[in-house]
Amino acid sequence: MRAALSSARRPLLGSWLLGRLCSTQALVAHKRGPELQGSAAVNWLRNQGRTPGCLIGDKLPQVPFWVEAEQLEARMRKPGFEARLIELVLEGQIIRALPAEVRRRSHRHARKRRES
């Protein structure tokens, strides 16, 4: 999943407010370091039940991240998912992003098709 970064970044939040937002509407995103980039690492993340993604934006560096697949799939089932901003909590900041280039087929499904 790629997400285009919105220009609306919110300031760092206190842990109480952050926990409250995480439990209701915002997806908790974890930044991927260099050790979790590349096809083998991405496949490993998917096998662990995580969905890799990347934040991109005008004149901003790319920020690779991952989210829990179950949380993302629940939002993907709603109509208009790709046309609405989602909130990601990444390193204590809330980032509003527009999903782009979303692949809806699960990794496990793709692996089963290759084995057939």
Side-chain angles (χ1 to χ4, degrees):
M1 175 182 89
R2 284 183 170 241
L5 184 63
S6 157
S7 60
R9 279 190 173 215
R10 295 186 185 167
L12 293 173
L13 300 171
S15 61
W16 175 81
L17 182 58
L18 183 63
R20 186 170 178 161
L21 282 170
C22 294
S23 64
T24 57
Q25 60 190 6
L27 279 173
V28 178
H30 305 273
K31 192 171 181 179
R32 287 189 289 148
E35 70 281 356
L36 289 177
Q37 295 182 27
S39 60
V42 167
N43 288 335
W44 180 82
L45 280 171
R46 288 183 179 132
N47 288 333
Q48 299 298 314
R50 299 172 178 146
T51 302
C54 188
L55 288 174
I56 57 173
D58 292 339
K59 300 178 185 174
L60 296 172
Q62 292 187 2
V63 180
F65 68 93
W66 60 267
V67 295
E68 294 295 334
E70 290 177 2
Q71 294 176 357
L72 180 63
E73 288 170 5
R75 286 171 176 78
M76 287 175 63
R77 283 191 280 275
K78 294 180 182 177
F81 168 74
E82 294 179 27
R84 293 191 180 139
L85 290 173
I86 60 172
E87 291 186 342
L88 298 170
V89 177
L90 183 65
E91 295 182 333
Q93 288 187 330
I94 294 180
I95 301 169
R96 297 180 73 198
L98 185 65
E101 296 183 34
V102 178
R103 296 184 190 145
R104 298 200 180 261
R105 188 172 53 171
S106 72
H107 179 65
R108 289 186 203 113
H109 179 71
R111 187 176 54 213
K112 286 180 184 177
R113 289 187 63 190
R114 269 188 269 142
E115 291 172 359
S116 301

